[in-house]
Amino acid sequence: MKDLSQDEWVEQLKKDKNAVVLDVRTMDEVEDGVIENAIHLDIYKGQEFISALEQLDKSKSYYVYCRSGNRSGQACSIMEELGFKKTYNLDGGILQWSGDLVSYK
């Protein structure tokens, strides 16, 4: 896992052809908006969260965020334990995000 500032996260995401954006917040938080193209997996769902992670392609790069950067850091650690090699945590989370948000579909 690597913690990235918003600028680093956005810049690296633009260049990464294997990028997947992962939002690990609760559904209530997601209703306030998500970063474009984000997949939502609530880290508080426990085994359901783990099972969903196990369905993801481990060869991809995962750009993970939450509200403040804490849960997404935990999610990146869990992902590494499951065999994911490229996980990037948005330092400061959505609270520090100055980019656009879109409605969750």
Side-chain angles (χ1 to χ4, degrees):
M1 171 186 72
K2 185 171 183 185
D3 288 319
L4 300 176
S5 69
Q6 179 178 327
D7 290 342
E8 292 168 326
W9 205 76
V10 169
E11 193 60 35
Q12 191 168 314
L13 184 60
K14 280 184 199 170
K15 296 176 186 172
D16 193 337
K17 300 288 185 232
N18 270 329
V20 176
V21 178
L22 190 59
D23 184 325
V24 298
R25 299 176 299 157
T26 66
M27 196 63 210
D28 283 345
E29 291 171 312
V30 165
E31 288 174 358
D32 292 334
V34 299
I35 295 173
E36 192 169 11
N37 297 319
I39 295 170
H40 175 241
L41 297 177
D42 184 345
I43 193 170
Y44 287 149
K45 296 283 184 176
Q47 188 56 48
E48 186 180 320
F49 176 71
I50 303 292
S51 297
L53 289 178
E54 289 172 336
Q55 302 303 310
L56 299 176
D57 183 345
K58 290 181 174 69
S59 69
K60 301 233 181 241
S61 303
Y62 290 89
Y63 293 80
V64 188
Y65 72 94
C66 65
R67 184 173 171 272
S68 67
N70 186 27
R71 284 174 284 169
S72 50
Q74 292 171 2
C76 288
S77 294
I78 292 167
M79 292 173 80
E80 286 178 350
E81 288 177 23
L82 294 173
F84 291 84
K85 303 287 186 222
K86 298 177 189 166
T87 59
Y88 305 99
N89 180 39
L90 178 60
D91 196 29
I94 206 83
L95 289 175
Q96 300 295 319
W97 183 256
S98 61
D100 291 335
L101 296 176
V102 297
S103 294
Y104 182 68
K105 298 170 182 112

